[in-house]
Amino acid sequence: MIPSELLLQGYRLGVFPMAMEDDSIAWFSPDPRAIIPLENFHVPHALRREWRRKVFEIRIDHRFGEVIRACAKREDTWINREIIDSYQRLHELGCAHSVESWSKNRLVGGLYGVAVGGAFFGESMFHRVTDASKIALVALVEHLRARKFALLDTQWLTPYLAQFGAIEISRKHYLRRLREAVELPRKF
Protein backbone atom coordinates (compact mmCIF):
# COMPACT_ATOMS: atom_id res chain seq x y z
CA MET A 1 0.00 0.00 0.00
CA ILE A 2 1.18 3.53 -0.78
CA PRO A 3 1.47 5.47 2.50
CA SER A 4 -1.33 8.05 2.76
CA GLU A 5 0.96 10.96 3.58
CA LEU A 6 3.13 10.14 0.54
CA LEU A 7 0.04 10.15 -1.69
CA LEU A 8 -1.18 13.46 -0.29
CA GLN A 9 2.29 15.02 -0.58
CA GLY A 10 2.44 13.83 -4.19
CA TYR A 11 -0.83 15.62 -4.96
CA ARG A 12 0.40 18.78 -3.22
CA LEU A 13 3.48 18.67 -5.49
CA GLY A 14 1.54 17.94 -8.68
CA VAL A 15 2.27 14.22 -9.10
CA PHE A 16 -0.03 11.21 -8.94
CA PRO A 17 0.48 7.42 -9.05
CA MET A 18 -0.68 4.89 -11.60
CA ALA A 19 -0.20 1.14 -11.70
CA MET A 20 1.81 -0.16 -14.64
CA GLU A 21 1.26 -3.45 -16.52
CA ASP A 22 3.69 -5.27 -14.19
CA ASP A 23 1.77 -3.93 -11.14
CA SER A 24 4.58 -1.55 -10.21
CA ILE A 25 3.57 2.01 -9.31
CA ALA A 26 4.84 4.96 -11.36
CA TRP A 27 4.34 8.66 -10.60
CA PHE A 28 3.26 11.16 -13.25
CA SER A 29 3.18 14.94 -13.72
CA PRO A 30 1.94 15.61 -17.27
CA ASP A 31 3.02 18.67 -19.21
CA PRO A 32 0.66 20.05 -20.30
CA ARG A 33 -1.80 19.30 -17.49
CA ALA A 34 -5.56 19.16 -17.97
CA ILE A 35 -7.99 20.99 -15.71
CA ILE A 36 -11.65 21.92 -15.86
CA PRO A 37 -11.93 25.60 -14.95
CA LEU A 38 -14.85 25.55 -12.51
CA GLU A 39 -16.02 28.98 -13.65
CA ASN A 40 -16.18 27.83 -17.30
CA PHE A 41 -17.65 24.36 -16.81
CA HIS A 42 -19.91 23.59 -19.77
CA VAL A 43 -22.90 21.27 -19.52
CA PRO A 44 -24.03 20.10 -22.99
CA HIS A 45 -27.67 21.02 -23.70
CA ALA A 46 -29.13 17.48 -23.67
CA LEU A 47 -27.28 16.68 -20.43
CA ARG A 48 -28.55 19.88 -18.85
CA ARG A 49 -32.14 18.68 -19.47
CA GLU A 50 -31.30 15.33 -17.89
CA TRP A 51 -29.74 17.08 -14.88
CA ARG A 52 -32.88 19.19 -14.36
CA ARG A 53 -35.15 16.14 -14.65
CA LYS A 54 -33.16 14.49 -11.85
CA VAL A 55 -33.00 11.15 -13.66
CA PHE A 56 -30.33 10.01 -11.19
CA GLU A 57 -30.10 10.37 -7.44
CA ILE A 58 -26.68 11.75 -6.46
CA ARG A 59 -24.92 10.42 -3.37
CA ILE A 60 -21.51 11.37 -2.06
CA ASP A 61 -19.19 8.89 -0.34
CA HIS A 62 -21.96 6.32 -0.01
CA ARG A 63 -20.10 3.44 -1.72
CA PHE A 64 -16.54 4.60 -2.31
CA GLY A 65 -15.09 1.07 -2.48
CA GLU A 66 -17.66 -0.03 -5.03
CA VAL A 67 -16.95 3.06 -7.16
CA ILE A 68 -13.18 2.57 -7.30
CA ARG A 69 -13.58 -1.15 -8.05
CA ALA A 70 -16.04 -0.34 -10.86
CA CYS A 71 -13.53 2.19 -12.27
CA ALA A 72 -10.88 -0.56 -12.27
CA LYS A 73 -13.07 -2.99 -14.23
CA ARG A 74 -11.92 -2.18 -17.74
CA GLU A 75 -9.58 -3.85 -20.15
CA ASP A 76 -6.88 -1.19 -19.92
CA THR A 77 -6.61 0.03 -16.32
CA TRP A 78 -4.11 1.81 -14.10
CA ILE A 79 -6.04 0.84 -10.97
CA ASN A 80 -4.64 -2.31 -9.35
CA ARG A 81 -5.14 -3.78 -5.87
CA GLU A 82 -2.46 -1.52 -4.36
CA ILE A 83 -4.12 1.59 -5.79
CA ILE A 84 -7.55 0.43 -4.55
CA ASP A 85 -6.23 -0.26 -1.04
CA SER A 86 -4.29 3.02 -0.94
CA TYR A 87 -7.25 5.15 -1.98
CA GLN A 88 -9.63 3.24 0.27
CA ARG A 89 -7.33 4.26 3.14
CA LEU A 90 -7.38 7.89 1.92
CA HIS A 91 -11.16 7.67 1.89
CA GLU A 92 -11.17 6.42 5.48
CA LEU A 93 -9.02 9.45 6.38
CA GLY A 94 -11.54 11.78 4.70
CA CYS A 95 -9.31 12.75 1.76
CA ALA A 96 -10.65 10.59 -1.11
CA HIS A 97 -14.26 10.91 -2.18
CA SER A 98 -16.81 9.43 -4.53
CA VAL A 99 -19.69 11.13 -6.32
CA GLU A 100 -22.25 8.52 -7.31
CA SER A 101 -25.23 8.31 -9.66
CA TRP A 102 -27.99 5.99 -8.45
CA SER A 103 -31.10 4.76 -10.22
CA LYS A 104 -33.79 2.61 -8.58
CA ASN A 105 -31.50 2.17 -5.54
CA ARG A 106 -28.69 0.81 -7.77
CA LEU A 107 -25.24 2.38 -8.29
CA VAL A 108 -25.11 3.07 -12.04
CA GLY A 109 -22.17 5.45 -12.39
CA GLY A 110 -19.77 7.71 -10.60
CA LEU A 111 -16.30 9.03 -10.09
CA TYR A 112 -13.68 9.26 -7.38
CA GLY A 113 -10.84 11.61 -6.57
CA VAL A 114 -8.81 13.29 -3.86
CA ALA A 115 -9.40 16.64 -2.14
CA VAL A 116 -6.51 18.65 -0.72
CA GLY A 117 -7.34 22.18 0.42
CA GLY A 118 -9.26 23.85 -2.41
CA ALA A 119 -8.07 21.39 -5.07
CA PHE A 120 -9.89 18.28 -6.25
CA PHE A 121 -7.96 15.70 -8.28
CA GLY A 122 -10.30 13.61 -10.41
CA GLU A 123 -8.98 10.07 -10.77
CA SER A 124 -11.47 7.93 -12.67
CA MET A 125 -15.10 7.54 -13.72
CA PHE A 126 -17.38 4.68 -14.71
CA HIS A 127 -20.93 4.16 -15.91
CA ARG A 128 -23.33 1.26 -16.23
CA VAL A 129 -26.12 3.45 -17.63
CA THR A 130 -25.78 6.12 -20.33
CA ASP A 131 -24.83 9.55 -18.94
CA ALA A 132 -24.52 8.33 -15.33
CA SER A 133 -20.84 9.33 -15.07
CA LYS A 134 -21.53 12.66 -16.81
CA ILE A 135 -24.23 13.49 -14.29
CA ALA A 136 -21.82 12.58 -11.47
CA LEU A 137 -19.32 15.05 -12.97
CA VAL A 138 -21.96 17.79 -13.10
CA ALA A 139 -22.79 17.06 -9.46
CA LEU A 140 -19.09 17.18 -8.52
CA VAL A 141 -18.66 20.59 -10.13
CA GLU A 142 -21.77 21.93 -8.35
CA HIS A 143 -20.40 20.54 -5.07
CA LEU A 144 -16.96 22.11 -5.61
CA ARG A 145 -18.42 25.48 -6.63
CA ALA A 146 -20.66 25.55 -3.54
CA ARG A 147 -17.60 24.97 -1.34
CA LYS A 148 -15.47 27.54 -3.22
CA PHE A 149 -12.85 25.09 -4.52
CA ALA A 150 -10.33 26.68 -6.89
CA LEU A 151 -9.00 23.76 -8.95
CA LEU A 152 -10.43 20.66 -10.63
CA ASP A 153 -7.51 18.62 -11.96
CA THR A 154 -8.32 16.01 -14.62
CA GLN A 155 -4.67 15.07 -15.33
CA TRP A 156 -4.94 14.55 -19.11
CA LEU A 157 -7.23 16.06 -21.71
CA THR A 158 -9.62 13.64 -23.40
CA PRO A 159 -12.45 14.34 -25.88
CA TYR A 160 -14.84 13.20 -23.14
CA LEU A 161 -13.58 15.93 -20.77
CA ALA A 162 -13.18 18.56 -23.51
CA GLN A 163 -16.97 18.64 -24.01
CA PHE A 164 -17.23 20.01 -20.46
CA GLY A 165 -14.66 22.75 -21.02
CA ALA A 166 -11.49 20.95 -19.94
CA ILE A 167 -8.33 22.69 -21.11
CA GLU A 168 -4.59 22.09 -21.01
CA ILE A 169 -2.21 24.42 -19.22
CA SER A 170 1.56 24.27 -18.87
CA ARG A 171 3.03 22.44 -15.88
CA LYS A 172 4.49 25.75 -14.68
CA HIS A 173 1.07 27.44 -14.77
CA TYR A 174 -0.55 24.36 -13.21
CA LEU A 175 1.93 24.26 -10.32
CA ARG A 176 1.31 27.95 -9.59
CA ARG A 177 -2.47 27.36 -9.48
CA LEU A 178 -1.96 24.19 -7.45
CA ARG A 179 0.14 25.93 -4.77
CA GLU A 180 -2.59 28.54 -4.28
CA ALA A 181 -5.44 25.98 -4.28
CA VAL A 182 -4.00 23.49 -1.77
CA GLU A 183 -3.47 26.30 0.77
CA LEU A 184 -7.17 27.20 0.80
CA PRO A 185 -9.05 26.09 3.93
CA ARG A 186 -11.78 24.07 2.21
CA LYS A 187 -13.75 20.99 3.26
CA PHE A 188 -15.11 18.60 0.65
Side-chain angles (χ1 to χ4, degrees):
M1 189 159 51
I2 305 166
S4 296
E5 191 47 50
L6 178 62
L7 266 173
L8 293 172
Q9 185 61 14
Y11 282 106
R12 286 184 204 103
L13 295 174
V15 298
F16 56 88
M18 294 176 69
M20 307 308 289
E21 284 183 20
D22 66 358
D23 271 346
S24 65
I25 301 294
W27 293 80
F28 294 87
S29 181
D31 191 8
R33 186 73 164 246
I35 64 167
I36 295 178
L38 293 167
E39 65 279 5
N40 296 330
F41 183 70
H42 171 73
V43 182
H45 185 69
L47 193 63
R48 186 184 325 268
R49 274 196 316 267
E50 200 166 333
W51 173 253
R52 284 192 201 119
R53 285 184 24 235
K54 301 202 182 301
V55 174
F56 301 104
E57 176 190 351
I58 298 300
R59 298 180 190 174
I60 294 178
D61 290 339
H62 190 71
R63 294 271 175 82
F64 181 87
E66 193 174 335
V67 169
I68 193 170
R69 287 188 303 278
C71 289
K73 284 186 180 172
R74 57 182 73 168
E75 195 167 313
D76 194 18
T77 187
W78 58 95
I79 304 169
N80 66 4
R81 181 89 243 148
E82 185 175 6
I83 293 286
I84 291 170
D85 292 345
S86 300
Y87 284 81
Q88 183 67 51
R89 179 71 183 129
L90 273 188
H91 174 67
E92 291 163 6
L93 294 171
C95 300
H97 303 279
S98 59
V99 178
E100 308 152 7
S101 294
W102 290 75
S103 179
K104 298 175 183 159
N105 220 22
R106 201 174 122 246
L107 178 63
V108 294
L111 59 86
Y112 79 95
V114 175
V116 179
F120 189 85
F121 307 88
E123 282 296 321
S124 191
M125 308 171 82
F126 83 98
H127 70 276
R128 296 177 180 139
V129 172
T130 302
D131 291 338
S133 62
K134 292 176 184 175
I135 291 294
L137 179 60
V138 174
L140 170 67
V141 170
E142 292 289 318
H143 190 80
L144 296 176
R145 284 175 169 170
R147 284 149 185 80
K148 299 189 180 347
F149 272 63
L151 181 66
L152 174 51
D153 177 354
T154 64
Q155 302 170 350
W156 283 287
L157 184 62
T158 65
Y160 181 86
L161 294 171
Q163 70 183 311
F164 295 100
I167 60 170
E168 290 182 320
I169 60 177
S170 70
R171 181 184 294 125
K172 182 178 178 182
H173 184 206
Y174 171 78
L175 291 174
R176 187 169 47 251
R177 288 188 65 166
L178 175 65
R179 275 191 301 276
E180 293 168 3
V182 298
E183 293 302 319
L184 295 171
R186 302 292 186 264
K187 294 264 191 243
F188 185 83

